[in-house]
Amino acid sequence: MKVINHGITKLICSYFSTMLLNFAKQYCIVIYSCYIFVLTLSVADSGATDKEVVDIITERVKSQHSGYMLQRAGGDSAVNVGVNIGVYNVNNVEDHSMTFKAVLYVRMIWIDKRLDFTNEFSTRTESITLNPSFERLIWTPDLHVTNEFKSQVLSDQRPQQLVLWPNGTVHLSTRVSTHVSCTFNLTYFPLDIQTCPITFQSYSYPERDVVFDFFALTNSNPGAEIVNEYIDLSTHYSLTSDSVTFTKTVAHDYYSQLDVYIELKRVTAAYVIKAYIPLNLIVAMSWSGFWVDTRATPARAALSITTILSLLTVTVSSYSHFPDVSYIKALDAYFMIGMVFVFGTLFEFTVVCQLNLRSDGNTNYNTGNISAVDVDKFSRWFFPLTYCVISAIYFITFLLLTL
């Protein structure tokens, strides 16, 4: 009887041991399978390749057939597009055509919920850099320069970089070369400073649909700035780091508008050499006749005619290189001052000749106690002093006006 009870007990223990062992094996397999499943999901989520993300977004956009159309941010609110402008280069500033060329870095950022992939890849936080050709599948702001001399829609140019964030934020960067028209105010030429705008506007969306505004990349980076400190404009203009300002306005046709103002300060050294110095030398040369004998009529006549012809030659030569406008420039005023003094010396020579004729050969004869020699002596200090005073007033006035 004890042998039978012992056998039954052993059989029951063996049965339960086998069951426990099988249960443990199955439990371990389930736990291991769950672990592998969770690990696979985690890897598929956080370690998803950019290609997988792009494939999902591409299929979604194609299925909606509206990826390239504007989608409002929510309800009736407009899409807010942040714009950052970097002025890389400014060159070919032309006074005659009143145009200049600029190379810009245009960065735009906006949110498109159709590109949100947080549901498919919830743990992914990194952005992905898309192929520039992907731009054709999605909606992008149609920003363009309204005052271009040679019109070209900005969005038609290939973007340099297209970045997408998990929440649907799109960051598009483009390098743009534009030929811009600017109305120069040449009243103070060549002591002038030109402030030229580059105006950005939406091509087809009014402000109720798209609102543009400047955004800063960093705390030290405003909405628009010079990103190249070695800009070489030309021999006639200079540009500093403080030469770029920006404003946001609404155009008269209710389109959101951004203006980037570039301050161009003219370098006057070339004009001093080409215009001011030759003019002053000619005017000073006309004064040399005051020291010539009052009876040396042929010499003084030749000198007066020579100075007048020289002045006309310098004027014509200079103005062939200067902008032609319908109003008087500062340089025109200075040339007119020089002409007045040159012709003044010719008029003085005429007065001297008349006094000599009336003296009938007697140099001591005078009319009203005034002789030809007295007129020359008076002119020797009156003409130079008056010219210097007027020139000083001229330069001080225009320099103060341009500060």
Side-chain angles (χ1 to χ4, degrees):
M1 192 68 180
K2 291 182 178 180
V3 174
I4 294 174
N5 292 337
H6 179 72
I8 294 173
T9 303
K10 185 177 182 181
L11 181 63
I12 292 173
C13 290
S14 176
Y15 174 75
F16 278 103
S17 297
T18 304
M19 288 183 62
L20 289 173
L21 182 62
N22 291 335
F23 179 77
K25 289 181 179 180
Q26 293 178 1
Y27 182 73
C28 290
I29 292 174
V30 171
I31 293 177
Y32 180 74
S33 300
C34 292
Y35 171 75
I36 295 298
F37 179 72
V38 172
L39 182 62
T40 303
L41 289 178
S42 177
V43 172
D45 191 1
S46 62
T49 62
D50 292 351
K51 184 178 183 304
E52 293 175 350
V53 177
V54 173
D55 290 341
I56 291 177
I57 296 174
T58 302
E59 290 299 326
R60 186 195 305 167
V61 171
K62 288 183 178 180
S63 64
Q64 294 176 353
H65 300 287
S66 62
Y68 57 88
M69 298 177 63
L70 172 67
Q71 185 183 51
R72 295 179 182 272
D76 294 331
S77 60
V79 175
N80 294 307
V81 180
V83 181
N84 185 274
I85 307 295
V87 180
Y88 182 77
N89 197 10
V90 178
N91 52 35
N92 293 348
V93 183
E94 297 290 342
D95 290 321
H96 292 278
S97 60
M98 295 188 181
T99 60
F100 66 93
K101 291 183 179 180
V103 178
L104 311 172
Y105 288 143
V106 180
R107 306 175 183 91
M108 293 182 288
I109 187 169
W110 70 97
I111 296 178
D112 192 338
K113 288 299 182 181
R114 292 168 296 185
L115 306 179
D116 188 333
F117 56 87
T118 54
N119 292 332
E120 293 83 357
F121 308 96
S122 59
T123 60
R124 174 162 182 148
T125 59
E126 302 86 0
S127 63
I128 59 174
T129 302
L130 302 174
N131 191 295
S133 60
F134 193 81
E135 182 201 12
R136 302 181 184 277
L137 301 177
I138 63 174
W139 178 86
T140 55
D142 56 348
L143 192 67
H144 77 291
V145 179
T146 60
N147 60 331
E148 276 189 326
F149 183 70
K150 295 181 180 179
S151 181
Q152 187 175 14
V153 180
L154 201 69
S155 58
D156 284 349
Q157 301 191 23
R158 302 290 290 180
Q160 298 289 340
Q161 189 180 46
L162 186 61
V163 179
L164 177 63
W165 295 86
N167 65 343
T169 300
V170 185
H171 188 181
L172 186 148
S173 300
T174 307
R175 187 172 184 267
V176 180
S177 178
T178 179
H179 198 178
V180 183
S181 175
C182 175
T183 303
F184 290 179
N185 183 2
L186 300 174
T187 302
Y188 301 143
F189 174 87
L191 307 173
D192 56 325
I193 298 176
Q194 303 299 332
T195 302
C196 294
I198 302 178
T199 303
F200 296 89
Q201 236 183 59
S202 175
Y203 186 75
S204 57
Y205 297 106
E207 194 178 36
R208 67 174 181 271
D209 295 326
V210 177
V211 176
F212 291 106
D213 199 357
F214 288 102
F215 81 96
L217 292 177
T218 60
N219 293 332
S220 61
N221 181 13
E225 66 171 355
I226 296 177
V227 296
N228 179 16
E229 60 183 52
Y230 302 104
I231 293 180
D232 183 15
L233 290 176
S234 66
T235 57
H236 302 300
Y237 287 93
S238 63
L239 192 66
T240 64
S241 58
D242 299 329
S243 299
V244 174
T245 56
F246 55 93
T247 59
K248 174 191 173 184
T249 57
V250 178
H252 65 279
D253 46 2
Y254 303 104
Y255 283 83
S256 184
Q257 178 174 307
L258 301 178
D259 296 306
V260 178
Y261 296 94
I262 300 179
E263 186 178 273
L264 305 174
K265 185 175 182 180
R266 192 182 301 273
V267 179
T268 59
Y271 301 96
V272 170
I273 296 173
K274 293 180 180 179
Y276 287 105
I277 291 179
L279 176 62
N280 289 326
L281 291 177
I282 291 172
V283 173
M285 183 178 66
S286 67
W287 301 335
S288 61
F290 301 147
W291 282 266
V292 179
D293 185 24
T294 58
R295 294 294 179 177
T297 303
R300 297 189 66 164
L303 181 61
S304 298
I305 294 174
T306 301
T307 54
I308 292 174
L309 293 177
S310 299
L311 179 61
L312 294 176
T313 301
V314 170
T315 303
V316 173
S317 177
S318 299
Y319 274 71
S320 63
H321 302 285
F322 298 156
D324 187 17
V325 291
S326 59
Y327 48 86
I328 297 177
K329 305 184 293 293
L331 186 61
D332 299 335
Y334 199 74
F335 268 99
M336 285 189 288
I337 293 172
M339 287 182 180
V340 168
F341 275 85
V342 169
F343 278 94
T345 59
L346 180 61
F347 178 75
E348 190 270 350
F349 169 62
T350 303
V351 172
V352 169
C353 289
Q354 287 296 321
L355 291 175
N356 285 332
L357 290 175
R358 291 183 181 183
S359 65
D360 193 20
N362 184 6
T363 57
N364 294 322
Y365 176 81
N366 62 76
T367 302
N369 297 323
I370 298 177
S371 66
V373 175
D374 294 333
V375 172
D376 271 349
K377 289 181 178 180
F378 174 79
S379 300
R380 290 172 188 174
W381 65 266
F382 175 78
F383 275 80
L385 179 61
T386 306
Y387 184 77
C388 291
V389 170
I390 294 176
S391 297
I393 295 174
Y394 168 90
F395 284 107
I396 292 174
T397 301
F398 283 105
L399 288 175
L400 290 177
L401 289 174
T402 55
L403 290 179

